[in-house]
Amino acid sequence: MVSIQSPPGSEPAVSSPSVSPPSKDPLLQPLQIKTLRLRNRIMSTSHASFMDDGGLPLERYQRYHEEKAKGGLALTMFGGSSMVDVDSSWGGGGQLNLATDEIIPHFQNFSRRIHAHGAALMCQISHLGRRADATTLNWLPAVAPSRSRETQHRAFSREMDEHDIRRIVKAYGAAAGRCREGGLDGVETLTGGHLIGQFFSPRTNFRTDRFGGSVENRVRFGLMVHEEIRRRLGDGMILSMRFIIDEADKDGLSFEDCLEIARIFEREGLVDVFNCIFGRMDTVIALAEQNMPGMSQPLAPFLSQVGAFRQHTRLPVFHAARITDIATARYAIREGLLDMVAMTRAHMADPQIVNKLMRGEEERIRPCVGASYCMHKKVNCIHNPASGRETILPQIIETAAKKRRVVVVGGGPAGLEAARVCAERGHDVVLFEAGSQPGGQLLLACRVSSRRDLVGIIDWRVSELERLKVDVRCDTYAETDDVLAENPDVVIVATGGLPDTDWLDGAEHCQSIWDVLSTMAGHSGDVILYDGTGRHEGISTALHLAEHGRSVHLVTIDDSLAQEIEYSTRAVYRKQFKKRDIAVTLDHHLIKVSRDNSNSLTATFRHELTGDLLDMRASQIVVERGTTPLDEVFHDLKEKSSNQGVTDLDALLAGVGQPLRESEAKFELHRIGDAVASRNVHAAIYDALRLCMVL
């Protein structure tokens, strides 16, 4: 059924005419699966991008995947959790609706676009089972093998009867037929926490009929589904199963159980590919640590387990789980652990991965730092704002028609990105940075052990500025005369901010998180940390203090911990707070800090709902409430600029150049990032890209 024509490290079985010899890189070898020839070993797995329009993959959706195809990968999968029937919806949207023929012409256009760039296209088709939301869209009860409740998605399911089983089997087949009519190269089902996997697992299948009990009975529904899909697809199209290899739970499927299930499907000839996943997905912490591991987990945490699974099957094995770098991907293919390496989130950071690899520019690949921002603001990468915005932002910067002299003041994320984009445009760029090295506030964030990978955001841009020969001047606190001496055409102020404590009575008795992360010396005893933002800064600093042996009590103005942070990381933080015994008080804002005669500090808080006052004592009080703009140089330059420092918002949002203004002043002036207002890394970099891409 399946022939793998080019084993890792070997020459391609078939090479197209070329002056250059075939690459020896294992990642660049083709893979033949039935009639489908994949041009290399790098892919992107299906995921819910939340870019659909009413359940249909229209222009934004297609452009997002098309950029990856243009970037050189072999296969892009789409449609994470696409619904095959009307009772498979979840809250908040984001799913494609494969229960209607309306989707077929959009698939046809989609496949033409992807194939035109030499890549293959597959769709995940699934039924959520007990993961469905009974209170959105069609308001239908969730169905499952047995009555149960999933913690994350919260519905109480009803047990499926034989009619439900026949209906949903038929719906899977109809969805597969629509994929075939749409010109796709294959489809993928999903086990794990979705309906097929719910039948597989003794954690969710308590039936005593022919669909429950023994492994042979528990796989019966999945076999019926795959038989119907194969009937509708024919023998030529690829049928993949995103397959759980171990639920990592004493009551769930073991590795040996999953091997037995895999052997049954392989024996019956109903699967062409195993796309392997590990662990559960029915709780947020399981998603964060197993199914979609982020920064808190090591790189490629389940690669060895998937490699062990591959030893037991003749079918190709795909896998995605925090494989973010080319070295790890290459190792996985070269050592025969995988046949295709999925770099899904890595392609959000840089859809040009394969093209850069083929050009010998591996070091220029923008790194995925594992921040999981893409799980919070769907497919928006923390430091590639063009991801998910392909219809309005470029992945590749175009050269400007006219070269200009650009001065960037400030070398944090916003300033580094502004300098990079302007230099890519062909402008003559100088960057002033007051510190001894670029990076700004992000350098402090990297001092927290769990967030050290954020340094990749800085390092990549510094490397790009070196390549582009940007004049970077560190240890230079640029003032008005320094800027004007450069005779600029454009000045971009990206000076960031300073900790915001002016509002607080008794601020002189407190430290900021900058103080804490700069040095741990000089303090001991218990700490109260006030978090007035709900962002990473306060939460991660509390953990940093606890890791250094301090007793920490965090007080937040919000009604939950880490309210502004992506949902998966919130769960990780809650787990770490529990392990570190960090106390948390919610719904309080800080109003005053005072020092008594014993040199102890008292923090006075007011309850957000009742107005009641609460006094708490500690030897150190740390305050986090964002930053206030450090913008003196901006205000000094305003009257000297042609635009009075005004950035035209209509032009900015339209992606066109700023309007020309009649003025004796030569330069236009803009400010970005925290020099405008306290926000986050993504906002700062987004500011820089959309302003500078048209300068």
Coordinates of all heavy atoms in Angstrom, one line a residue, residues 2 105 187 195 259 283 416 546-547 648:
V2 N 1.9 1.3 0.8 CA 2.8 2.4 1.0 C 4.2 2.1 0.7 O 4.7 1.1 1.1 CB 2.7 3.0 2.4 CG1 3.6 4.2 2.6 CG2 1.3 3.3 2.8
P105 N -16.7 24.2 -3.5 CA -16.0 25.1 -4.4 C -14.9 25.8 -3.8 O -13.9 26.2 -4.4 CB -17.1 26.1 -4.9 CG -18.2 25.9 -3.9 CD -18.2 24.5 -3.5
V187 N -7.3 13.1 3.6 CA -8.1 13.5 4.8 C -7.4 12.8 6.0 O -6.7 11.8 5.9 CB -9.6 13.2 4.7 CG1 -10.2 13.8 3.5 CG2 -9.8 11.7 4.7
L195 N -14.1 11.9 19.1 CA -15.1 10.8 19.2 C -14.5 9.4 19.0 O -14.8 8.4 19.7 CB -16.3 11.0 18.3 CG -17.4 10.0 18.4 CD1 -18.0 10.0 19.8 CD2 -18.6 10.3 17.4
L259 N -0.6 0.3 20.5 CA 0.1 -0.5 19.5 C -0.9 -1.6 19.0 O -1.0 -1.8 17.8 CB 1.3 -1.2 20.1 CG 2.6 -0.4 20.2 CD1 3.7 -1.3 20.8 CD2 3.0 0.2 18.9
T283 N -8.2 18.3 29.4 CA -8.1 19.3 30.4 C -7.1 20.3 29.8 O -6.3 20.0 28.9 CB -7.5 18.8 31.7 OG1 -6.2 18.3 31.5 CG2 -8.4 17.7 32.3
L416 N 14.1 47.1 17.4 CA 14.8 46.1 16.6 C 14.0 45.8 15.4 O 14.6 45.6 14.3 CB 15.1 44.9 17.4 CG 16.1 45.0 18.5 CD1 16.2 43.7 19.4 CD2 17.5 45.3 18.0
A546 N 9.9 32.8 44.2 CA 9.7 31.5 45.0 C 10.8 30.5 44.6 O 11.3 29.8 45.5 CB 8.4 30.9 44.6
E547 N 11.3 30.5 43.4 CA 12.4 29.6 43.0 C 13.7 29.9 43.7 O 14.5 29.1 43.9 CB 12.6 29.6 41.5 CG 11.5 28.9 40.7 CD 11.6 29.2 39.2 OE1 12.5 29.9 38.8 OE2 10.7 28.7 38.5
D648 N -0.7 59.0 11.1 CA -2.1 58.9 10.5 C -2.6 57.5 10.6 O -2.1 56.6 10.0 CB -2.1 59.4 9.1 CG -3.5 59.5 8.5 OD1 -4.0 58.4 8.2 OD2 -4.0 60.6 8.3

